[in-house]
Amino acid sequence: MEDKQSNLNWRKRLHEVIYEADTPEGKLFDVILLMAIIVSIALVMLESVNPIGEKYKTELNIAEWIITVLFSVEYILRIISISKPTKYIFSFYGLIDFLSTIPKYLSIIFTGTHSLVALRALRLLRVFRILKLTRFVQESQHLAKALKASRARIMVFLFFVLIICVILGSIMYLVEGADNGFTSIPRSVYWAIVTLTTVGFGDIAPMTPLGQFIASVIMILGYAIIAIPTGIVSTEIARNHKLSLNTQSCPNCATTGHVDRAIYCHHCGGKLNE
């Protein structure tokens, strides 16, 4: 009985350190993990630079193995510290942690020269580690909620912009014609989208005075349109923004986002860490 209780206490303590940041140990774990993620991303970037990758191939490989082992230990500890491991394994962060760790181990299997192309593609999966940073940005949850709440208005806005581009593209097709590069309505709509978004590739340009006047109006209109989605999302953030410093995570199902001083999980009803 005592061994079982001791095991539960050990898992509870481990969960509190790994999943939460309310204790000095939890904060230290998050800081170390954050530094490891940044270092791992830097290694991937340096490895892609041919002169550096070739000169320091051995050193970069050793450093990458150290980072991979560290992330592997973290992944295993996260699995064994909750009562329902599948909740973490198939969660967003669980899949990201897996995808960012497995490529290095797969490189052991794909060792032949004929597999270098596949190995290069597998290494790119390590960039997924940068998504692990989102677990440290609490405000990302507010941004996600604001985008979700604003999706209907954003879709209406995008549909409206598309209509404008079709109309303006059709007009430019009539005004400029095929001689000036506007060979079809779809190509003219493409030009309108590029111009309205202020990108301006320059592969198509109006030559007539009327076409240039319309292009000027579209460019000015583009600056006004760019600010609209920002205003939609910002309004939603301001309306629902409430900063929460609660980092409690359910030891049973790994659900987060609990209210302050919560005792039980709002998802499964399991008891939370004190």
Side-chain angles (χ1 to χ4, degrees):
M1 187 68 180
E2 291 182 0
D3 291 340
K4 184 177 181 180
Q5 186 64 34
S6 176
N7 183 50
L8 290 175
N9 291 335
W10 175 79
R11 289 180 60 185
K12 179 181 177 181
R13 182 60 178 167
L14 182 62
H15 177 275
E16 191 173 15
V17 171
I18 294 178
Y19 283 92
E20 302 178 11
D22 294 330
T23 62
E25 294 86 352
K27 292 177 181 178
L28 177 61
F29 178 84
D30 282 351
V31 169
I32 293 174
L33 183 59
L34 179 61
M35 292 176 62
I37 294 170
I38 294 174
V39 170
S40 69
I41 296 301
L43 289 175
V44 174
M45 292 182 177
L46 289 173
E47 188 181 19
S48 67
V49 181
N50 288 332
I52 297 177
E54 293 175 1
K55 183 176 181 180
Y56 300 100
K57 182 178 180 180
T58 303
E59 291 82 354
L60 289 173
N61 186 54
I62 294 174
E64 178 58 33
W65 270 115
I66 294 174
I67 295 292
T68 299
V69 171
L70 178 63
F71 285 146
S72 300
V73 172
E74 179 222 355
Y75 183 73
I76 295 172
L77 291 178
R78 286 184 181 275
I79 292 176
I80 66 177
S81 64
I82 58 176
S83 301
K84 297 179 180 179
T86 54
K87 292 290 185 180
Y88 164 72
I89 293 173
F90 296 104
S91 67
F92 171 77
Y93 290 123
L95 293 174
I96 292 302
D97 291 347
F98 178 78
L99 287 174
S100 63
T101 304
I102 197 64
K104 194 62 179 176
Y105 295 109
L106 291 179
S107 67
I108 300 176
I109 302 174
F110 297 98
T111 55
T113 56
H114 61 282
S115 305
L116 289 178
V117 176
L119 178 58
R120 190 178 184 86
L122 289 172
R123 286 177 176 176
L124 292 177
L125 290 177
R126 288 179 290 168
V127 177
F128 277 98
R129 288 176 187 167
I130 201 169
L131 295 180
K132 288 160 67 74
L133 290 171
T134 58
R135 68 159 52 100
F136 299 100
V137 185
Q138 193 175 48
E139 292 297 294
S140 63
Q141 298 178 358
H142 297 288
L143 178 60
K145 290 179 181 178
L147 289 172
K148 185 176 181 180
S150 306
R151 65 182 182 277
R153 280 172 287 178
I154 292 176
M155 290 302 297
V156 170
F157 166 75
L158 292 176
F159 184 67
F160 176 71
V161 171
L162 181 60
I163 292 175
I164 291 179
C165 290
V166 171
I167 294 174
L168 294 175
S170 301
I171 293 174
M172 290 299 291
Y173 173 70
L174 293 174
V175 172
E176 293 291 328
D179 293 338
N180 294 328
F182 294 80
T183 54
S184 65
I185 291 180
R187 186 168 175 80
S188 301
V189 171
Y190 154 78
W191 171 87
I193 294 173
V194 170
T195 305
L196 190 65
T197 55
T198 69
V199 176
F201 289 129
D203 52 343
I204 310 174
M207 298 298 176
T208 65
L210 179 57
Q212 291 173 350
F213 172 76
I214 296 174
S216 300
V217 173
I218 294 175
M219 283 182 264
I220 294 173
L221 183 62
Y223 283 105
I225 286 180
I226 288 173
I228 294 177
T230 305
I232 292 174
V233 177
S234 299
T235 301
E236 197 63 41
I237 291 176
R239 181 183 303 170
N240 299 313
H241 180 76
K242 183 181 179 182
L243 182 61
S244 174
L245 299 178
N246 193 319
T247 63
Q248 284 181 303
S249 173
C250 178
N252 187 48
C253 65
T255 299
T256 58
H258 300 94
V259 298
D260 293 338
R261 293 183 296 276
I263 300 176
Y264 299 98
C265 175
H266 61 76
H267 182 261
C268 71
K271 196 173 187 306
L272 301 175
N273 294 323
E274 298 179 0

